[in-house]
Amino acid sequence: MTENLEALRDALPRLGEGVLVTLQLTLGGALVAFLVSVVLGLLSISPVAPLRWLATIVVEFFRGTSLVVQLFWLYYVMPLFGVSMDAVLTGVLALGLNYGAYGAEIVRGSINAVDKGQWEGATALNMSPLMRMRRIIWPQAWVLMLSGYNNLLIMLIKGTAVALFIGLQDLAYEIDELRLDTTTIFAYGVGLIVYYLFALVFSSGLRQLEKRARRRLGLGAGSTHESAGVAL
């Protein structure tokens, strides 16, 4: 055990670099996933049929194909067409597009879950579609989205480990290197703890964001979306 701890101490600088790469992938992937999910989620409820069809095709494509295969296409195949990207950027895009497709369903479902009376009331007030979405619908849907985004972010954090396949020396890579100097149980035990702490920190942050969003609408922690009618 002492030898394992000494090896861990010696590996801390490398583990720190791996954590930094994983953090870049997490933050960058989460940002891209959020933007993609909002765009596709809004398009999926568009009154313009071709836009809905386009959103459905894109969502089903990225949800129906492997993240690893998508990563390989972006990193190994796209350069054959003259499109080359840095490994970190490739990882960010792959994670963002894949999890953004899942997030689009969170956006669509949350918007559709807003009480129909809110839509009708906003229409009765002669609000434009943009104002209705920005002032009435989105703030209530946002509260509903955050719990779904929380789960999605945890999945994305775990998904960053696929960056190992394109040679990125992320946390998963450094944990595997640590295994060579210690034991399998010890190294992967350290990996479990670090990834858990990663997920715990980000999940706690989103829970705080959800509580803040509820307070802005005057909702209690246990309120259901029906009580969001106070917005009008």
Side-chain angles (χ1 to χ4, degrees), residues 164-185:
L164 178 69
F165 295 126
I166 57 173
L168 275 175
Q169 298 181 3
D170 67 334
L171 177 58
Y173 175 89
E174 298 298 349
I175 289 297
D176 197 50
E177 289 293 300
L178 177 64
R179 178 180 60 85
L180 301 177
D181 298 325
T182 58
T183 64
T184 300
I185 294 176

Side-chain angles (χ1 to χ4, degrees), residues 130-202:
L130 179 60
M131 180 177 291
R132 178 178 61 198
M133 179 59 68
R134 184 173 64 87
R135 297 287 300 275
I136 304 299
I137 307 303
W138 184 266
Q140 298 176 62
W142 177 240
V143 173
L144 303 176
M145 290 178 206
L146 284 171
S147 60
Y149 274 138
N150 199 339
N151 293 330
L152 196 64
L153 180 58
I154 293 174
M155 292 172 58
L156 189 150
I157 291 171
K158 294 183 289 187
T160 59
V162 301
L164 178 69
F165 295 126
I166 57 173
L168 275 175
Q169 298 181 3
D170 67 334
L171 177 58
Y173 175 89
E174 298 298 349
I175 289 297
D176 197 50
E177 289 293 300
L178 177 64
R179 178 180 60 85
L180 301 177
D181 298 325
T182 58
T183 64
T184 300
I185 294 176
F186 181 83
Y188 289 133
V190 171
L192 284 174
I193 293 172
V194 176
Y195 273 108
Y196 172 74
L197 292 176
F198 243 100
L200 182 63
V201 169
F202 280 98

Side-chain angles (χ1 to χ4, degrees), residues 48-55:
V48 182
L51 294 180
R52 293 200 307 273
W53 299 338
L54 175 62

Side-chain angles (χ1 to χ4, degrees), residues 89-140:
L89 178 59
T90 302
V92 165
L93 283 179
L95 290 166
L97 291 171
N98 185 273
Y99 289 100
Y102 287 95
E105 290 300 293
I106 295 174
V107 173
R108 182 189 62 81
S110 298
I111 291 176
N112 287 337
V114 174
D115 188 84
K116 296 304 179 184
Q118 299 291 293
W119 294 83
E120 295 168 358
T123 301
L125 292 174
N126 202 30
M127 289 184 173
S128 67
L130 179 60
M131 180 177 291
R132 178 178 61 198
M133 179 59 68
R134 184 173 64 87
R135 297 287 300 275
I136 304 299
I137 307 303
W138 184 266
Q140 298 176 62

